[in-house]
Amino acid sequence: MTPPPDAGAERVFEINGVSLGLPEGLANASIIDKLADGSYEADEARAVDRCVRPGLRVLELGAGLGYVGTLAALKSEPENILSVEANPELLPVIRANHARNGVEEVSLMHGAVVGHAEEGATARFHIAGGFTGSRLGARGGRQVEVPLIGFHELIRAQRPHVVLMDVEGAEAGYFDRAWKCPLRFCVMEIHPKQYDAAVIKKIVDRMSAMDMTYDPVTSRGKILGFRKVWSEGV
């Protein structure tokens, strides 16, 4: 069982003008190397640069260290950003990094986002070593109980123009019906090891039904981006 990180010591990294504090023991060597060379969440950062503009509301699912949410807040306004993170150990790190970069007004919500959740529902959440790869449904390792958040209720409340998600396979449950929001861009990391091609087709078909099309600028590898198809004259 991996012990929780030591909150008493941290390293600080600078990426794209964002300062990120990392508590000792929280991340594995691979993440630390990417933080050091500036490649940490590079595709997600590129997506923020492409998609986020002043005044746009952003929903971020899977906040990590708070890097992408900070970038989005600096491009729009902090009060327009809602970040959701399931791993409770990351919450104080995210808040500290938001404050470190002057975007403490970003809304941060704790919970695992699923397609549908009853009020007060919880589930066991697996915390992976190095924090990336933590997810619902995995067996073994360190497990914590986390609140469940219904995706469509979250969409209706935030009404985002931009949705950014990295939720380790949970995205498969978000595409059962149309999203009630003024969506312009959606960028997600897909997880084909956790579901088959039929689920990816369902994601693409749902996006198409919502007048969203493949965005080659934000897509790369497992990062799949979509943008709104605007009607003529809009």
Side-chain angles (χ1 to χ4, degrees):
M1 181 179 295
T2 304
D6 177 5
E10 73 171 2
R11 296 178 62 180
V12 178
F13 300 87
E14 298 284 336
I15 309 178
N16 287 332
V18 173
S19 178
L20 293 175
L22 177 70
E24 190 71 29
L26 180 64
N28 58 32
S30 175
I31 296 171
I32 292 171
D33 288 345
K34 290 177 181 179
L35 286 163
D37 68 19
S39 63
Y40 175 72
E41 295 192 337
D43 291 330
E44 292 83 352
R46 187 180 303 109
V48 170
D49 187 61
R50 155 75 163 167
C51 302
V52 182
R53 295 290 181 268
L56 294 188
R57 292 184 299 277
V58 178
L59 174 61
E60 179 195 20
L61 305 182
L65 298 177
Y67 173 52
V68 173
T70 295
L71 287 174
L74 294 171
K75 290 277 289 186
S76 181
E77 288 85 27
E79 58 269 23
N80 288 332
I81 315 303
L82 173 58
S83 295
V84 185
E85 175 56 51
N87 186 342
E89 293 175 359
L90 292 178
L91 300 179
V93 180
I94 297 165
R95 291 192 183 98
N97 284 329
H98 286 166
R100 187 189 299 271
N101 292 280
V103 297
E104 51 266 76
E105 292 180 0
V106 169
S107 296
L108 178 61
M109 181 180 294
H110 177 221
V113 180
V114 294
H116 173 74
E118 297 292 339
E119 185 175 355
T122 64
R124 301 294 287 173
F125 183 80
H126 168 76
I127 299 180
F131 82 77
T132 59
S134 301
R135 63 185 179 91
L136 292 171
R139 296 183 178 181
R142 194 149 47 89
Q143 303 271 341
V144 295
E145 199 78 14
V146 301
L148 295 181
I149 302 169
F151 175 77
H152 293 286
E153 290 75 18
L154 196 60
I155 284 284
R156 285 196 294 270
Q158 175 69 359
R159 301 192 73 250
H161 301 96
V162 180
V163 175
L164 309 169
M165 66 174 83
D166 181 4
V167 286
E168 299 300 326
E171 68 274 5
Y174 303 164
F175 296 88
D176 58 325
R177 60 184 186 272
W179 302 358
K180 295 185 180 299
C181 66
L183 188 66
R184 297 186 182 187
F185 290 95
C186 177
V187 181
M188 71 190 78
E189 180 173 348
I190 60 172
H191 297 83
K193 289 184 178 180
Q194 297 183 35
Y195 43 69
D196 59 24
V199 175
I200 299 175
K201 182 179 185 302
K202 180 179 179 181
I203 291 171
V204 174
D205 288 348
R206 175 59 64 195
M207 287 283 101
S208 180
M210 292 164 51
D211 294 326
M212 304 289 290
T213 191
Y214 173 77
D215 181 15
V217 177
T218 54
S219 297
R220 179 176 299 190
K222 293 191 297 181
I223 304 295
L224 186 57
F226 299 90
R227 63 178 176 83
K228 186 76 171 181
V229 178
W230 299 108
S231 301
E232 187 175 350
V234 174

